Amino acid sequence: MEDVVGYTDAFVICSGQNARHVQAIAEEVELVLKHDEGLLPKGGEGRREGDWILLDFLDCVVHVFTPDMRDYYRLEQLWGDVPRLELDLDAHPSVAAG
């Protein structure tokens, strides 16, 4: 992302099954980054609604969607010319278990 936009180095895009699952994923991301890296988001939106939660960690912006919202906004297509990196979630036990 750093070659395309000036406000972040990376987007993390993921989905939960429903609004409550999206909220739980976003909470877990915040907890793990706070515990492991001492990072707190500098901003965030959508926590109450839970269909699209955005967590801004400056260098990385995390997007957690419900399936319908992810299909609607299609960020992967919007930023299609940006290189993608697939992550192995099994590498982090607390993420894989959630």
Side-chain angles (χ1 to χ4, degrees):
M1 296 296 301
E2 68 248 14
D3 294 336
V4 179
V5 297
Y7 57 87
T8 192
D9 294 340
F11 279 174
V12 172
I13 303 171
C14 61
S15 299
Q17 297 172 356
N18 53 49
R20 182 64 195 126
H21 192 214
V22 166
Q23 291 165 332
I25 291 168
E27 289 171 10
E28 183 69 11
V29 167
E30 287 185 277
L31 287 171
V32 169
L33 287 176
K34 179 181 178 183
H35 179 265
D36 293 357
E37 304 297 328
L39 294 174
L40 294 172
K42 303 305 179 200
E45 296 183 25
R47 287 181 177 97
R48 184 174 308 164
E49 299 84 4
D51 51 4
W52 175 9
I53 297 178
L54 180 143
L55 302 171
D56 185 355
F57 291 94
L58 298 180
D59 292 338
C60 180
V61 177
V62 177
H63 300 269
V64 188
F65 291 100
T66 58
D68 289 342
M69 293 301 276
R70 188 169 179 173
D71 287 343
Y72 181 79
Y73 284 104
R74 299 175 302 176
L75 291 186
E76 293 93 338
Q77 290 178 346
L78 179 65
W79 298 101
D81 54 347
V82 175
R84 292 177 65 165
L85 173 64
E86 298 291 329
L87 299 177
D88 178 10
L89 296 180
D90 292 328
H92 198 293
S94 66
V95 174

